[in-house]
C-alpha cells in the first residue's frame, strides 16, 4: 500500500518508522519530511499546509491512506480535503481539530460538560482583559486563543507582566489573529502528565503516559521550547489517577465532542496537571505530541498501521492496543541558542549503530550529508526495562552523536526518577 504522512519533524519520523513495520506498507511519502526522514520514507517538497498541493499529490500518486500529524494542517482542514478526494485518513476533521485550534472553544466545552480545568474568563476586548488582570489573583495565566507555535502562554507573576501579556497579544497582535481573543485563567500547580489517546469517536484508548520537559535549560529554567526531552511512562500517573482521568476527563471529552456534532477521530492528546484537587486539563492537542511520540510509539507493541485504520473505520473497540511494560527516554539535541537565534548548516555525525534510535527533526541533506537546519535537530530514544537504564543509554548515545553547537539538557527524567525512588 502507498501511504503518506503530512509533516516533517521528529514526531513524523517516529510515526513513519513505526508504520514501516507493517508488511502491507510498500511506499511512504513524507510531505515535506526532512533529511533524516529520507532514510525511512520518500520526502516530497510540498509544505504541510499547502492543502491543494497535498490533495493533488495524493490523487496523482495513488496514495491509499494518509496520516496528518501537525496541528496547523489539521486545523486548516487537510483531512476534510483528503477525505473529499476519497482518501481515508488518520486525524480529526477541522470541526474537531478546533479542540486545539481555539482555547476559548476548549474551555467552553469543558465548562459545559463539567470536565475539570482551571477557572477562566475569555476576552475579545483588550480594555476588559486589562481591567480583569488588574485585580486577578497572581500568578495569572494569559493564553492566546489560537495556534501560536507553543508560544502563546504567559504565566504572569506580576501585575505588570500580565498587562504586558494582554497588550502584546491583543494590541500589538504578536500572534496575529490567534491573539485577538485571550483566555485568562487561574494558575494551577502539580506535576504535568501527557496522555496521548486513540479515539474513533466511540471509544477512547489511552496510550502509555509520558512527561515532556518544555524549558530550555536544566532545572526547568530558561525559555519555553517545543520540548527538550521526554520519558514514558510518567510515574506521577498512578493507576488511581488513570482511572479518575478515564471517568472524569477522557470519556467525557469524547462524548462532549459527539454531543457537539464534532466527532473526534485520531490522536487526542490530554495535557494534564495532577493538582491537589485531582487531575485537570491544561490543554488539548488534536494530534500526537512532539517529542512525546518519540517515547510512546517505541513502547507500542501492537501494529500502528492496524490501529490507525481501526480508528479511521470505527473499529477501535475490537482492536488490540498493547504497550510494553518497559520504559523509554528521549533526549533532544538542539542548536545552541534555540529557541531564539541559532546557526545552522553544521554536519551531523551519527554512528551507524545509532541510526535506528534517532528521530530527526531539523536537518537536511546537502551533497548526501546530513546538516542541521533547525533549532531542535534530533532526538535519540532508548527503551529498557526501567527508566534509569533507558535514560543512561539515551545519554550515552547522545554523547556519541556530534555536530557543532550541539546543546541538550542533562536532567531529562530526573524528576521522574526521584518520584520512582521515593516510592
Ligand atoms: P499550554 O500551551 O496550554 O500547554 O501551556 C504551556 C505550559 O504552560 C503548560 O505545559 C504548563 O506548564 C503551563 N500552564 C498552562 N496553563 C497553566 C495553568 N493554568 N496553570 C499553571 N501552568 C499552566
Ligand atoms: N510536547 C508538547 C506538544 O506537542 O504540544
Amino acid at each position: 500500500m502507498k501511504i503518506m504522512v503530512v509533516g516533517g519533524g521528529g514526531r513524523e519520523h517516529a510515526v513513519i518508522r513505526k508504520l514501516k513495520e507493517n508488511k502491507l506498507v510498500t511506499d511512504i511519502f513524507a510531505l515535506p519530511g526532512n533529511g533524516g526522514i529520507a532514510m525511512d520514507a520518500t520526502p516530497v517538497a510540498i509544505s504541510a499546509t499547502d492543502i491543494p498541493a497535498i490533495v493533488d499529490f495524493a490523487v496523482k500518486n495513488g496514495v491509499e491512506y494518509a496520516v496528518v500529524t501537525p496541528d496547523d494542517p489539521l486545523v486548516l482542514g487537510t483531512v476534510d480535503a483528503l477525505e473529499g478526494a476519497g482518501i481515508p485518513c488518520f486525524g480529526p476533521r477541522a470541526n474537531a481539530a478546533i479542540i486545539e485550534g481555539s482555547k476559548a472553544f476548549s474551555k467552553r466545552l469543558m465548562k459545559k460538560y463539567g470536565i475539570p480545568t482551571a477557572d477562566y474568563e475569555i476576552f475579545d476586548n483588550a480594555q476588559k482583559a486589562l481591567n480583569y488582570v488588574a485585580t486577578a489573583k497572581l500568578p495569572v495565566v494569559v493564553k492566546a486563543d489560537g495556534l501560536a507555535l507553543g508560544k502563546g502562554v504567559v504565566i504572569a507573576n506580576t501585575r505588570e507582566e500580565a498587562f504586558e501579556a494582554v497588550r502584546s497579544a491583543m494590541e500589538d497582535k504578536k500572534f496575529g489573529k490567534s491573539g485577538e481573543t485571550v483566555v485568562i485563567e487561574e494558575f494551577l500547580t502539580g506535576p504535568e502528565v501527557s496522555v496521548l489517546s486513540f479515539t474513533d469517536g466511540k471509544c477512547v484508548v489511552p496510550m502509555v503516559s509520558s512527561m515532556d520537559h518544555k524549558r530550555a535549560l536544566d532545572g526547568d529554567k530558561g525559555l519555553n521550547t517545543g520540548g527538550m526531552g521526554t520519558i514514558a511512562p510518567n510515574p506521577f500517573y498512578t493507576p488511581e489517577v488513570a482511572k479518575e482521568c478515564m471517568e472524569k476527563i477522557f470519556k467525557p471529552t469524547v462524548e462532549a465532542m459527539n454531543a457537539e456534532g464534532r466527532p473526534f477521530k485520531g490522536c487526542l492528546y490530554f495535557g494534564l496537571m495532577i493538582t491537589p484537587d485531582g487531575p485537570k486539563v491544561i490543554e488539548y492537542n488534536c494530534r500526537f505530541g512532539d517529542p512525546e511520540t518519540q517515547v510512546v510509539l517505541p513502547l507500542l507493541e501492537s501494529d500502528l498501521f492496524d490501529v490507525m485504520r481501526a480508528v479511521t473505520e470505527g473499529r477501535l473497540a475490537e482492536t488490540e492496543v498493547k504497550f510494553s511494560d518497559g520504559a523509554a527516554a528521549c533526549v533532544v539535541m538542539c542548536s545552541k541558542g534555540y529557541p531564539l537565534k541559532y546557526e545552522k548548516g553544521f554536519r551531523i555525525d551519527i554512528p551507524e549503530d545509532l541510526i535506528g534510535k534517532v528521530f530527526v527533526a531539523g536537518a537536511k541533506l546537502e551533497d548526501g550529508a546530513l546538516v542541521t537546519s533547525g533549532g531542535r535537530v534530533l532526538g535519540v530514544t532508548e527503551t529498557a526495562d526501567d527508566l534509569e537504564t533507558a535514560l543512561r543509554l539515551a545519554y550515552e548515545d547522545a554523547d556519541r552523536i556530534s555536530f557543532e553547537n550541539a546543546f541538550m539538557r542533562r536532567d531529562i527524567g530526573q524528576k521522574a526518577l526521584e518520584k520512582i525512588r521515593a516510592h
Side-chain angles (χ1 to χ4, degrees):
M1 264 179 98
K2 286 186 178 179
I3 67 173
M4 162 174 112
V5 174
V6 175
R11 163 184 56 205
E12 284 73 24
H13 200 175
V15 167
I16 286 168
R17 218 37 68 83
K18 202 75 197 170
L19 287 171
K20 266 178 67 174
E21 291 176 4
N22 186 297
K23 300 269 183 304
L24 288 177
V25 174
T26 51
D27 300 89
I28 306 182
F29 300 106
L31 282 61
N34 66 44
I37 287 176
M39 296 184 285
D40 295 289
T42 308
V44 179
I46 291 175
S47 151
T49 50
D50 188 347
I51 298 177
I54 292 169
V55 175
D56 189 56
F57 174 86
V59 170
K60 288 199 175 126
N61 291 277
V63 169
E64 296 164 85
Y65 190 81
V67 178
V68 184
T69 33
D71 49 4
D72 34 357
L74 288 166
V75 171
L76 290 170
T78 304
V79 167
D80 309 57
L82 286 165
E83 284 180 350
I87 296 161
C89 294
F90 181 86
R93 295 180 185 159
N95 75 346
I98 190 174
I99 199 165
E100 174 171 5
S102 167
K103 290 191 193 288
F105 170 86
S106 66
K107 295 298 287 193
R108 288 189 181 112
L109 184 87
M110 288 185 270
K111 185 181 255 179
K112 182 168 170 189
Y113 294 91
I115 298 164
T117 189
D119 284 339
Y120 70 97
E121 295 288 337
I122 297 171
F123 297 94
D124 52 19
N125 174 293
Q127 193 52 51
K128 287 193 178 148
L130 290 168
N131 292 347
Y132 180 82
V133 295
T135 57
K137 185 165 174 279
L138 294 174
V140 65
V141 185
V142 180
K143 300 185 171 185
D145 171 52
L147 297 179
L149 300 168
K151 301 194 173 68
V153 175
V154 174
I155 298 179
N157 288 303
T158 65
R159 206 75 54 212
E160 208 33 62
E161 279 168 17
F163 290 140
E164 175 53 29
V166 170
R167 283 196 203 103
S168 71
M170 302 188 83
E171 290 175 354
D172 308 341
K173 307 256 191 274
K174 187 172 168 194
F175 310 109
K177 278 192 109 42
S178 286
E180 284 178 359
T181 298
V182 297
V183 173
I184 300 181
E185 69 179 32
E186 163 202 20
F187 177 75
L188 299 177
T189 55
E192 285 185 57
V193 179
S194 305
V195 179
L196 284 56
S197 71
F198 291 108
T199 173
D200 58 0
K202 295 189 261 183
C203 73
V204 53
V205 180
M207 301 183 217
V208 61
S209 62
S210 55
M211 184 194 289
D212 193 4
H213 297 70
K214 284 195 170 131
R215 301 292 203 93
L217 307 175
D218 284 13
D220 292 328
K221 304 247 158 52
L223 294 171
N224 250 323
T225 70
M228 298 293 291
T230 38
I231 58 102
N234 185 326
F236 292 96
Y237 190 70
T238 60
E240 297 74 54
V241 172
K243 190 161 174 283
E244 197 175 347
C245 288
M246 190 56 153
E247 296 311 320
K248 294 190 178 155
I249 297 176
F250 305 162
K251 280 188 197 158
T253 301
V254 169
E255 283 161 14
M257 290 298 278
N258 285 334
E260 294 292 306
R262 300 170 179 274
F264 190 104
K265 281 182 162 196
C267 172
L268 181 54
Y269 167 131
F270 300 90
L272 307 168
M273 197 172 264
I274 315 302
T275 76
D277 301 328
K280 294 192 179 179
V281 176
I282 288 283
E283 65 165 346
Y284 292 114
N285 289 328
C286 64
R287 52 172 175 86
F288 286 97
D290 189 342
E292 284 90 340
T293 306
Q294 291 90 312
V295 285
V296 169
L297 291 187
L299 293 174
L300 177 65
E301 288 178 345
S302 307
D303 184 277
L304 179 62
F305 190 44
D306 286 346
V307 176
M308 285 184 161
R309 281 181 304 165
V311 166
T312 307
E313 293 162 17
R315 296 184 282 102
L316 186 57
E318 304 123 54
T319 306
E320 189 186 52
V321 184
K322 191 170 179 307
F323 284 87
S324 116
D325 293 331
C330 173
V331 174
V332 173
M333 299 179 73
C334 303
S335 305
K336 198 172 80 196
Y338 171 76
L340 299 173
K341 255 171 72 116
Y342 52 84
E343 287 178 71
K344 42 196 181 185
F346 299 116
R347 200 193 147 105
I348 307 168
D349 286 309
I350 307 174
E352 196 65 35
D353 61 304
L354 296 186
I355 296 278
K357 295 173 177 176
V358 169
F359 299 120
V360 176
K364 60 180 182 181
L365 285 171
E366 234 172 53
D367 304 325
L370 202 57
V371 301
T372 64
S373 68
R376 284 194 295 176
V377 174
L378 58 86
V380 54
T381 296
E382 282 280 1
T383 56
D385 287 343
D386 59 85
L387 181 61
E388 190 166 7
T389 312
L391 279 165
R392 179 174 51 75
L393 295 173
Y395 275 111
E396 279 173 16
D397 294 349
D399 284 329
R400 291 173 56 219
I401 296 169
S402 59
F403 53 91
E404 216 170 294
N405 284 357
F407 170 78
M408 64 185 128
R409 266 179 72 161
R410 284 279 162 192
D411 66 341
I412 300 303
Q414 285 312 309
K415 265 194 202 159
L417 281 184
E418 280 163 27
K419 168 78 180 162
I420 292 168
R421 286 180 189 137
H423 221 64

